[in-house]
């Protein structure tokens, strides 16, 4: 118990991060038109390379990377503030999101000097975009069983296999793929490695997948005898599992795991104000806001651990599990409240946002690791399994 309490120490955003918030708000006010709730609901899924380049020109892509490689060298707290403000207005950040959040930091941590010099400055200028090649048709939760394989030859590594659910693969330049370099799927974690795969190489086919809401934001990737140069291997051969786990702490802890549908609460409050309904739903609203404040505090606590150079896997899993449960509840809570007053039909923008988020909500607890897997990790972290 004491260990658990130590892990969940309350942390504050430092004054420098709070001051930085004003700078970000100022940038957004100048560079982004206000968007309707139904567009903001796309949140961090909106892909706009030109907007990413504007942010990069301001120094805000690859924000935690060293200045020596073109980064802004901001601490994790200021990154948290930047992300919060961008999500709050529904900025179309998807183009650079993965590189900023995990591929860049991964290359910085495990990559060779040549890889850092080659990729990091281009990431920071938003010239190249990355996607995550982990899941396969039969290996999603069970990542250790992946079968895509790279074989070392005299010419370089030859890659064969298939990845699925790769967000924005069709619009990205590179994927960091987790693949098997030795042994069999039965050997589990042993023998996995990570490669930077140039998606324009011969033998790579990317096929978009249309989702329930009609968007095609993720794809299948096919690798047929793709010849990778020797320096495509990132980090050490056979260390892919450990590297991926360090990467997942970045993926799971951020504000994007809480805020996917908060825009709906925002739009609902505005509608209730106009229609004199706040009092009728004050209790529901109070519960939603108290819940959000607590989750945000937990996310800041995980950010403090990242800022201290730790890899808080279990804590990040906890924030993601609770955060995505919260994000998933919002559409049904708001729709139930709207349905309670059929005499006052909601405006179309609010209804469109609610419809989109209802479609998307089931995915919130899948992307980045499913609820059951995270609960297993939390139980293990608490010594219960
Ligand atoms: C919107 C979205 C974007 C995504 N983007 C990417 C991406 O960019 N790159 C990428 O690599 N992947 C991506 N994914 C894939 C995602 O990470 C996987 O869908 C996820 O890991 C689950 O894998 P699966 O779909 O194969 O389900 P399965 O692993 O087959 O799981 C099916 C069900 O069984 C449960 N289950 C599985 N194993 C256990 C167990 N041991 N104990 C208890 N329950 C279990 C799961 O929790 C789940 O409910 C994305 C997914 C979504 C929805």
């Amino acid at each position: 118990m004491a260990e658990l309490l130590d892990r969940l120490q309350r942390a504050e955003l430092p004054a420098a991060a709070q001051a930085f918030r004003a700078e970000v708000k100022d940038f957004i006010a100048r560079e982004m038109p206000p968007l309707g709730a139904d567009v903001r609901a796309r949140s961090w899924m909106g892909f706009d390379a030109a907007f990413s380049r504007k942010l990069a020109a301001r120094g805000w892509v690859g924000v935690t990377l060293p200045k020596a490689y073109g980064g802004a060298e901001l601490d994790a707290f200021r990154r948290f503030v930047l992300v919060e403000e961008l999500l709050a207005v529904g900025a179309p950040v998807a183009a650079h999101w993965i590189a900023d959040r995990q591929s860049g930091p991964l290359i910085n941590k495990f990559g060779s000097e040549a890889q850092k010099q080659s990729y990091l400055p281009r990431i920071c200028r938003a010239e190249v975009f990355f996607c995550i090649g982990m899941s396969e048709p039969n290996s999603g939760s069970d990542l250790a069983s992946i079968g895509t394989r790279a074989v070392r030859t005299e010419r370089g590594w030859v890659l064969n296999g298939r990845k699925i659910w790769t967000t924005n693969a069709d619009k990205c330049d590179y994927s960091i793929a987790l693949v098997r370099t030795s042994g069999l799927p039965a050997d589990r974690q042993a023998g996995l490695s990570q490669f930077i795969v140039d998606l324009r190489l011969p033998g790579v086919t990317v096929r978009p997948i249309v989702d329930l809401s009609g968007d095609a934001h993720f794809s299948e990737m096919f690798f047929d005898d793709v010849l990778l140069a020797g320096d495509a291997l990132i980090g050490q051969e056979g260390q892919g599992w450990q590297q991926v786990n360090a990467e997942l702490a970045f993926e799971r802890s951020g504000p994007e795991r809480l805020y996917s549908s908060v825009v709906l609460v925002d739009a609902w409050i505005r509608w209730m104000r106009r229609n004199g309904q706040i009092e009728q739903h004050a209790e529901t609203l109070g519960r939603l806001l108290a819940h959000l404040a607590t989750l945000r505090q937990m996310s800041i606590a995980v950010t403090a651990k990242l800022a201290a150079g730790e890899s808080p896997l279990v804590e990040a899993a906890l924030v993601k599990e609770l955060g995505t449960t919260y994000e998933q509840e919002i559409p049904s809570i708001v729709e139930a409240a709207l349905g309670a007053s059929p005499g006052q039909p909601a405006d179309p923008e609010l209804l469109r946002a609610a419809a989109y988020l209802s479609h998307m909500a089931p995915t919130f607890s899948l992307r980045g690791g499913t609820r059951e897997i995270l609960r297993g990790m939390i139980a293990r972290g608490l010594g219960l399994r």
Side-chain angles (χ1 to χ4, degrees):
M1 179 72 177
E3 198 194 333
L4 172 64
L5 292 179
D6 283 345
R7 280 181 166 190
L8 293 176
Q9 287 296 330
R10 191 180 148 86
E12 297 290 341
L13 286 176
Q18 295 291 13
F20 178 61
R21 192 180 293 280
E23 259 181 76
V24 182
K25 279 189 189 295
D26 185 52
F27 172 87
I28 288 171
R30 273 184 288 111
E31 299 293 350
M32 262 197 69
L35 302 175
D38 47 346
V39 182
R40 282 167 63 203
R42 257 77 183 168
S43 177
W44 48 286
M45 303 301 280
F47 195 106
D48 181 346
F51 182 76
S52 292
R53 290 200 182 106
K54 273 190 199 168
L55 269 177
R58 185 67 185 73
W60 291 344
V61 173
V63 284
T64 58
L65 297 174
K67 286 188 176 148
Y69 302 113
E73 231 173 277
L74 297 187
D75 59 27
F77 292 113
R78 274 181 290 180
R79 181 175 186 279
F80 182 93
V81 166
L82 177 65
V83 168
E84 269 199 325
E85 291 298 325
L86 291 170
L87 294 179
V89 295
V93 290
H96 68 273
W97 203 248
I98 303 298
D100 180 275
R101 182 179 70 191
Q102 56 201 96
S103 312
L106 180 89
I107 293 172
N108 188 44
K109 188 163 182 187
F110 297 107
S112 65
E113 187 53 35
Q115 284 170 332
K116 290 185 203 182
Q117 289 191 15
S118 164
Y119 296 102
L120 300 186
R122 289 188 287 154
I123 286 176
C124 297
R125 292 194 296 265
E127 279 174 14
V128 293
F129 303 127
F130 279 69
C131 57
I132 304 164
M134 295 187 194
S135 305
E136 295 185 5
N138 296 311
S139 306
S141 301
D142 187 15
L143 260 191
S145 70
I146 63 174
T148 294
R149 180 178 285 273
V151 177
R152 201 196 292 262
T153 70
E154 279 176 7
R155 295 177 303 143
W157 294 91
V158 177
L159 178 67
N160 276 289
R162 177 179 168 198
K163 295 283 172 183
I164 197 167
W165 315 128
T166 321
T167 302
N168 290 324
D170 56 326
K171 303 181 198 73
C172 284
D173 306 281
Y174 299 98
S175 180
I176 297 195
L178 179 68
V179 311
R180 183 158 292 285
T181 43
S182 67
L184 299 169
D187 295 326
R188 313 287 299 160
Q189 288 97 331
L192 298 179
S193 306
Q194 284 184 300
F195 286 87
I196 302 175
V197 181
D198 182 338
L199 296 176
R200 291 187 187 84
L201 284 175
V204 177
T205 309
V206 177
R207 195 180 294 158
I209 303 171
V210 177
D211 70 20
L212 192 66
S213 65
D215 292 340
H217 59 75
F218 46 34
S219 300
E220 278 181 283
M221 300 192 293
F222 300 85
F223 306 124
D224 293 308
D225 284 333
V226 179
L227 182 62
L228 303 175
D231 62 2
L233 176 70
I234 179 163
Q236 285 182 14
E237 190 195 341
Q239 290 299 304
W241 182 257
Q242 288 76 359
Q243 293 176 196
V244 150
N245 274 295
E247 188 183 336
L248 284 168
F250 291 112
E251 181 169 354
R252 290 177 177 157
S253 58
E256 67 265 42
R257 300 307 181 186
L258 320 177
Y259 291 169
S260 305
S261 51
V262 169
V263 56
L264 192 56
V265 181
D266 200 23
W268 181 47
I269 293 173
R270 263 186 282 130
W271 181 79
M272 286 196 295
R273 281 213 179 99
R274 282 204 303 276
N275 291 279
Q277 285 206 346
I278 293 271
E279 213 158 305
Q280 184 186 338
H281 296 293
E283 194 184 323
T284 308
L285 193 53
R287 199 174 306 127
L288 282 174
L289 296 181
H291 204 156
L292 177 62
T294 311
L295 287 167
R296 179 173 183 266
Q297 200 55 55
M298 291 177 75
S299 185
I300 293 172
V302 176
T303 302
K305 291 193 171 279
L306 291 173
E310 296 174 37
S311 187
L313 260 186
V314 177
E315 295 87 336
L318 187 63
V319 172
K320 188 195 175 255
E321 206 291 300
L322 295 172
T324 54
T325 299
Y326 174 72
E327 299 181 314
Q328 280 178 332
E329 282 170 2
I330 289 175
S332 53
I333 289 175
V334 173
E335 281 173 344
L338 291 175
S341 307
Q344 278 179 311
D347 59 53
E349 182 186 312
L350 178 57
L351 289 178
R352 278 198 301 273
Y356 173 76
L357 288 166
S358 288
H359 274 153
M360 289 306 284
T363 71
F364 299 163
S365 59
L366 298 178
R367 57 189 184 189
T370 64
R371 166 166 296 129
E372 290 76 10
I373 296 301
L374 297 175
R375 287 186 178 173
M377 289 174 63
I378 296 161
R380 255 196 311 280
L382 295 178
L384 301 173
R385 268 180 94 185

